[in-house]
Each structure stands twice: as C-alpha cells, then as structure tokens.
C-alpha cells in the first residue's frame, strides 16, 4: 500500500471525482462523501459490519455509484499521538480493501482523535438529539467530521 498524504490527492484524482470518508468502528463503518470541489463533506450512511467480503462489496458499489476517486479513512490515534491496536486494525482494513477486495483507489489516513466525542457533544448540545437518535447518526456524522477536516486541509493547500 502506497503511503500518501492528504495533500497528494488533488493531483491524483480525475476531474469530477469525489472523496469517500470512512469512520471504521468495530460494529459499523460510518461514511461521508465530498462534493466535486473538495469543500463540503456530507454524511451518507453506515455499513453494519458483518463479513469482510460483504462489507467490501458494499463499499465498492458506493465507490462506483458516487464516482469516488480516493478514500480518507479515520485513524484512531491515541491522545499522546501514538498508534495502538485500533490503528493497526484500520491500516489492515485499508490494505485488505485494496489487496483482497480490489478497491483500486488511493487511501489516506486522517487523525480522528476526538471526532466521535466532538460529534456527540454537538448532537447533544446543539441538535438536542435523543440517545436513540444519536446512536443512529453518530457514525456517519463522525465520518463527515473526519472528511471535512481533510477537505479543509486540501482547501488550505489549494489557496497557496
């Protein structure tokens, strides 16, 4: 797997392609998609994790349907900046998506520290959502939060 930086993506992608943001958890994978200008991330749903093959087929279909040119995957780095077992699990998922599922797209990792808790604070404080409703939207909202952070970094680069 090629080690790419978020700033490499704009030069790699074809015109009109989008980015797919993923928040891989143990039970679900939250998903978000960018617009074609790499400015806005929108949550699109979650995949309830079952077998790798089934999950990968669903991701592959989404990539084809939405003209995805690259994937931004949340990396659950520890608060001190080190990588633990969860990071290795996410890296392995990315490798398997490319090697086993033949999802031939560049994948970059984005530090997702505090993304879920930031989204939950917003959903509780600003959106005043019930616990049940938060459980339904937190994973895809966290994927959008992760992807938006990456898009903001791309936009800062494009301005200079």
């Amino acid at each position: 797997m090629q080690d790419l930086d978020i700033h490499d993506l704009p030069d790699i992608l074809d015109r009109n392609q989008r980015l797919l943001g993923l928040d891989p958890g143990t039970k679900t994978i939250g998903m978000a998609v960018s617009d074609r200008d790499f400015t806005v991330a929108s949550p699109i749903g979650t995949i309830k994790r079952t077998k790798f093959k089934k999950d990968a087929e669903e991701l592959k279909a989404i990539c084809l349907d939405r003209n995805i040119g690259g994937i931004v995957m949340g990396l659950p780095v520890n608060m001190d900046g080190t990588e633990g077992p969860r990071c290795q699990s996410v890296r392995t998922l990315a490798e398997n998506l490319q090697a086993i599922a033949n999802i031939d797209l560049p994948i970059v990792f984005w530090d997702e520290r505090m993304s879920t808790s930031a989204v939950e604070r917003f959903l509780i404080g600003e959106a005043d959502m019930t616990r049940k409703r938060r459980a339904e939207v937190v994973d895809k909202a966290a994927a959008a939060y992760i992807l938006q952070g990456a898009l903001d970094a791309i936009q800062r680069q494009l301005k200079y």
Side-chain angles (χ1 to χ4, degrees), residues 95-155:
E95 289 171 7
N96 289 343
L97 287 174
Q98 289 180 322
I100 297 171
N102 295 318
I103 295 179
D104 189 26
L105 296 173
I107 298 175
V108 297
F109 298 101
W110 190 256
D111 184 346
E112 71 161 45
R113 272 181 277 192
M114 305 301 288
S115 62
T116 301
S117 61
V119 167
E120 285 205 357
R121 277 193 310 275
F122 171 78
L123 295 176
I124 292 167
E126 301 295 321
D128 195 28
M129 276 192 189
T130 65
R131 182 181 305 258
K132 181 180 179 198
R133 181 71 179 127
R134 282 194 316 267
E136 294 170 3
V137 301
V138 71
D139 294 323
K140 64 183 176 183
Y145 185 89
I146 292 163
L147 181 56
Q148 189 64 56
L151 295 176
D152 292 347
I154 289 172
Q155 289 303 312

Side-chain angles (χ1 to χ4, degrees), residues 13 18 32 36 41 69 75 79 84 89 92 105 131 139 145 158:
L13 302 180
R18 300 170 183 227
R36 289 179 177 89
L75 192 65
M79 290 307 290
S89 173
T92 300
L105 296 173
R131 182 181 305 258
D139 294 323
Y145 185 89
L158 293 176

Side-chain angles (χ1 to χ4, degrees), residues 5-62:
D5 183 80
I6 191 68
H7 302 296
D8 298 327
L9 286 181
D11 296 330
I12 294 173
L13 302 180
D14 292 336
R15 191 171 183 86
N16 293 323
Q17 287 186 314
R18 300 170 183 227
L19 293 174
L20 178 67
L22 298 179
D23 179 26
T26 55
K27 296 179 183 177
T28 62
I29 300 172
M31 300 177 295
V33 68
S34 75
D35 62 339
R36 289 179 177 89
D37 296 323
F38 307 127
T39 55
V40 178
S42 301
I44 60 169
T46 57
I47 294 175
K48 187 171 175 75
R49 292 187 82 166
T50 57
K51 301 270 189 222
F52 172 77
K53 184 177 179 182
K54 183 179 178 296
D55 300 346
E57 286 172 2
E58 195 168 343
L59 282 170
K60 196 170 191 173
I62 288 165

